[in-house]
Amino acid sequence: MNVLLVGSGAREHALAWKLRQSPKLTDLFIAPGNAGTAALGANLPLNASDVEGLTRAAKENRCELVLVGPEDPLARGLVDRLAVEGIAAFGPSQSAARIESSKAFAKALMERHGIPTARTAVFTNRTDARNHIQGLEKPPVVKADGLAGGKGAFICDTKDEALRAIDMMMGEQAIFGAAGRTVVIEERLSGREVSAHAFSDGRTTLPMPYSCDYKRALDGDEGANTGGMGAYSPPAWLDADTARAIDERITTAAVNAMMDDETPYRGVLYPGIMVTPDGPKVLEYNCRLGDPEAQVLLPRLKTDLLEICLAVANNRLQEMRVEWSEQACVAVVLASGGYPEEYQTGFPISGLAQLEPDAMVFHAGTALAKDGSVVTSGGRVLTVAALGDTLVEARAKAYRNVQRIHFSLRHYRRDIAAPAQEARVQ
Ligand code: AMP
Ligand code: GLY
């Protein structure tokens, strides 16, 4: 079977690597892919948001399944467009993807179905939003309703900061364009964050193991918010009761709620959770795999990913048994110095052939130079991942291999899955 995979990050390289292990796979196309995916299939020079171009490519290359990595093509209706052509897809429809592409939609869904989340108010009028903030007891979190490339949440320490966020989004500047015209103002929660993920075909929900990512650029959770600087799985600190509560009251509950509301959810659902003193609460729902969470989950997946994707696309997930390795996995992101702000690209990457045999490297911002060598081409450049019988072992192996890869101005966090932090009590 030919498959088209959409996206260009380390998540997509990990998906390509896992798909390649399937005896069912014939040709793999990746649009647009990176230097890593080029070794596993054919990269197609297309924009991952070009719904028409992607649909045409799927048809031309006789792909029977399209796997969509990032949220943007999902929010643009790629899965619906493919359905018109009779091409199966792994990912939610445009209306189901609203669970991520509209925070107001997700909040209304949670409210209607009693899913635990932060207290929230939604505004489309700037004056009303400002008045609401003035009347609050504590500084809130202010979020753009729509997709803002992971930059749409302002965790405010003062009300003034919150008012400024409103002005930047709803005023003339409109920093997120249409995505920020509606804002969600919510209570600031405290606790530890955990990423939940599940496969769903609309009716059946199969939760994956839990994982944690590191959003800030610098050690000790300092610096700017990024797409994610590293991850580990499983989090030993998450107790079984809380894990079960998340599975039932947050993950499965959302899939059932979407079914009840006649927008069945197919694909991967990824609730971002804050484990608060009052129990787990939803920070947001995402309509895809997390990145870098995918780089610690997919190495632990024992079942054929292509089989799972087909079961999801054909509504037969109920028949699947999905198995996971007991091993722990740690992933460290190597980024370009300066990311997520200004950074330079085009630097040669050395050491990729010198890794330990079972260490994994998933490319993101990499490109092939004319002479076939690999150079940096983005902010997050690579993820190095390793499995181990314990988290400590996985972490040691990941960092040993990180140190073998070099490029100018390389930056990575030294504290991913660090014992002190992993064991930290709330
Ligand atoms: P979001 O885009 O909604 O996932 O928010 C991005 C990040 O902001 C989350 O991963 C949290 O670290 C933080 N965050 C979001 N909502 C809240 C909240 N209500 N309270 C505290 N932190 C939050
Ligand atoms: N790791 C965060 C995200 O993928 O949204």
Side-chain angles (χ1 to χ4, degrees):
M1 167 181 301
N2 291 356
V3 175
L4 171 64
L5 170 62
V6 179
S8 61
R11 167 182 55 203
E12 285 75 24
H13 187 187
L15 284 165
W17 165 79
K18 198 68 209 169
L19 285 172
R20 260 284 153 232
Q21 296 169 11
S22 173
K24 273 209 158 82
L25 182 74
T26 321
D27 289 335
L28 177 63
F29 300 89
I30 309 99
N34 55 42
T37 62
L40 297 166
N43 284 350
L44 305 177
L46 283 167
N47 186 309
S49 301
D50 175 5
V51 170
E52 285 310 316
L54 293 165
T55 307
R56 214 173 314 121
K59 276 187 356 196
E60 278 169 13
N61 294 296
R62 293 186 300 281
C63 295
E64 289 174 67
L65 180 78
V66 177
L67 228 99
V68 190
E71 62 278 16
D72 196 61
L74 295 166
R76 289 173 189 267
L78 175 60
V79 171
D80 312 69
R81 181 68 188 83
L82 291 164
V84 173
E85 303 294 337
I87 301 170
F90 180 78
S93 65
Q94 184 172 36
S95 58
R98 279 181 301 166
I99 201 161
E100 174 168 1
S101 68
S102 168
K103 288 189 192 291
F105 172 88
K107 284 287 176 183
L109 181 90
M110 289 185 260
E111 207 158 282
R112 269 200 310 281
H113 296 270
I115 297 174
T117 187
R119 272 196 306 272
T120 306
V122 178
F123 295 93
T124 49
N125 177 291
R126 182 175 166 189
T127 312
D128 293 347
R130 289 184 61 99
N131 288 342
H132 175 77
I133 290 170
Q134 303 283 17
L136 290 172
E137 253 175 58
K138 290 187 190 155
V141 175
V142 176
K143 296 180 180 180
D145 172 56
L147 296 179
K151 297 190 169 72
F154 295 84
I155 321 296
C156 305
D157 289 321
T158 63
K159 284 191 193 177
D160 269 348
E161 244 179 78
L163 293 171
R164 274 200 299 277
I166 293 292
D167 290 343
M168 285 192 290
M169 286 195 270
M170 302 183 95
E172 257 166 43
Q173 223 185 329
I175 53 168
F176 301 128
R181 246 175 244 144
T182 300
V183 296
V184 169
I185 300 178
E186 67 181 33
E187 149 203 28
R188 181 169 178 172
L189 301 173
S190 59
R192 292 192 74 172
E193 281 187 54
V194 64
S195 300
H197 284 83
F199 293 109
S200 167
D201 64 358
R203 266 175 308 182
T204 302
T205 310
L206 296 182
M208 302 186 202
Y210 287 90
S211 55
C212 294
D213 81 340
Y214 291 75
K215 291 207 166 69
R216 301 298 193 102
L218 308 175
D219 286 7
D221 291 332
E222 302 282 343
N225 257 330
T226 70
M229 294 299 294
Y232 65 92
S233 176
W237 58 266
L238 188 71
D239 66 85
D241 285 345
T242 308
R244 200 170 321 110
I246 297 171
D247 282 353
E248 288 170 9
R249 303 215 311 263
I250 288 176
T251 311
T252 307
V255 170
N256 293 343
M258 294 291 277
M259 188 60 138
D260 284 352
D261 291 357
E262 292 173 5
T263 38
Y265 190 91
R266 276 189 206 90
V268 171
L269 183 65
Y270 151 26
I273 312 283
M274 184 81 87
V275 180
T276 76
D278 303 327
K281 294 188 180 177
V282 177
L283 294 173
E284 60 168 351
Y285 282 109
N286 299 295
C287 63
R288 53 180 170 83
L289 275 163
D291 181 345
E293 288 95 325
Q295 294 93 292
V296 292
L297 293 173
L298 294 168
R300 296 188 62 203
L301 177 60
K302 294 210 283 194
T303 309
D304 184 331
L305 176 64
L306 187 45
E307 295 276 9
I308 301 173
C309 294
L310 290 171
V312 165
N314 299 315
N315 305 323
R316 22 175 209 82
L317 197 55
Q318 200 183 2
E319 298 161 22
M320 280 301 299
R321 256 184 62 84
V322 175
E323 289 188 80
W324 299 92
S325 157
E326 292 291 317
Q327 285 194 298
C329 194
V330 172
V332 180
V333 171
L334 274 66
S336 299
Y339 170 78
E341 276 106 35
E342 300 271 295
Y343 55 83
Q344 287 171 265
T345 58
F347 297 122
I349 304 172
S350 66
L352 289 169
Q354 273 85 53
L355 300 191
E356 291 173 38
D358 52 356
M360 294 164 278
V361 59
F362 299 120
H363 294 220
T366 67
L368 288 172
K370 283 210 178 71
D371 63 0
S373 65
V374 180
V375 297
T376 64
S377 69
R380 290 194 291 178
V381 176
L382 305 153
T383 304
V384 174
L387 288 162
D389 289 339
T390 61
L391 199 66
V392 171
E393 201 182 299
R395 174 173 200 269
K397 190 189 285 181
Y399 275 107
R400 276 202 307 276
N401 287 282
V402 161
Q403 278 141 26
R404 296 184 185 196
I405 299 177
H406 297 275
F407 53 88
S408 294
L409 308 178
R410 176 193 67 168
H411 165 69
Y412 61 90
R413 276 183 65 158
R414 265 79 175 163
D415 62 349
I416 305 302
Q421 197 170 17
E422 214 276 331
R424 179 171 62 94
V425 245
Q426 291 179 26

